[in-house]
Amino acid sequence: MDYSYEYTSLETSSSSGGMVVYMILMLAISVFAIVSMWKVFKKAGKEGWAALIPIYNLVVLFQISGIDPKKLLWLFLPIIGQIIVFVYLIMAYINLAKAFGKSSGFAAGLIFLNVIFMGILAFDDSVYSGTSV
């Protein structure tokens, strides 16, 4: 009786190569998002480095959008708090678009395609005029 077995690897080089490409793409998108937020903060007269700090960047975003940053304290409530802050975040994007003289369509873009429209806001010639809420 011959009990020889042939072992095959479940991982192929093409799947690991795809994972590397995916990781590089996600890293590039993340860096672009941070740079865009940094430039938007600088345009609004805030410190750009605030884009690097996870909760503090929401505080600054709320400030330049004219929303009281204390609303972020809702995050301490499980589930319902996240929903409430999500609604305030949508309001912040609408106010941010208005503060830079953009339309409500641009605000919808900030809500649904944030990385793209934040990049547009960062690199166009729009000027921050403050909040009018």
Side-chain angles (χ1 to χ4, degrees):
M1 289 192 135
D2 185 21
Y3 290 108
S4 63
Y5 294 99
E6 218 177 286
Y7 294 101
T8 58
S9 174
L10 295 176
E11 183 178 319
T12 62
S13 62
S14 63
S15 67
S16 63
M19 182 59 78
V20 170
V21 170
Y22 175 77
M23 290 174 64
I24 291 171
L25 182 64
M26 289 298 108
L27 180 65
I29 290 172
S30 299
V31 168
F32 179 74
I34 291 170
V35 168
S36 297
M37 186 177 276
W38 187 302
K39 289 191 62 79
V40 169
F41 286 177
K42 292 293 281 185
K43 277 178 142 180
K46 299 290 183 178
E47 294 295 328
W49 57 262
L52 298 173
I53 315 296
I55 300 297
Y56 185 62
N57 63 13
L58 289 176
V59 170
V60 174
L61 180 67
F62 277 29
Q63 286 174 345
I64 66 176
S65 299
I67 296 176
D68 185 13
K70 292 178 187 172
K71 307 284 189 200
L72 289 170
L73 292 174
W74 285 105
L75 285 173
F76 288 111
L77 285 180
I79 301 169
I80 191 71
Q82 283 80 17
I83 294 170
I84 292 170
V85 170
F86 181 70
V87 170
Y88 280 121
L89 187 61
I90 290 172
M91 292 169 46
Y93 287 138
I94 293 169
N95 292 346
L96 185 67
K98 287 180 187 176
F100 279 96
K102 301 293 184 182
S103 68
S104 57
F106 193 88
L110 278 172
I111 294 165
F112 294 111
L113 298 169
N114 184 271
V115 174
I116 295 168
F117 279 80
M118 194 66 87
I120 292 170
L121 191 60
F123 294 104
D124 72 354
D125 59 351
S126 62
V127 177
Y128 179 74
S129 62
T131 57
S132 60
V133 287

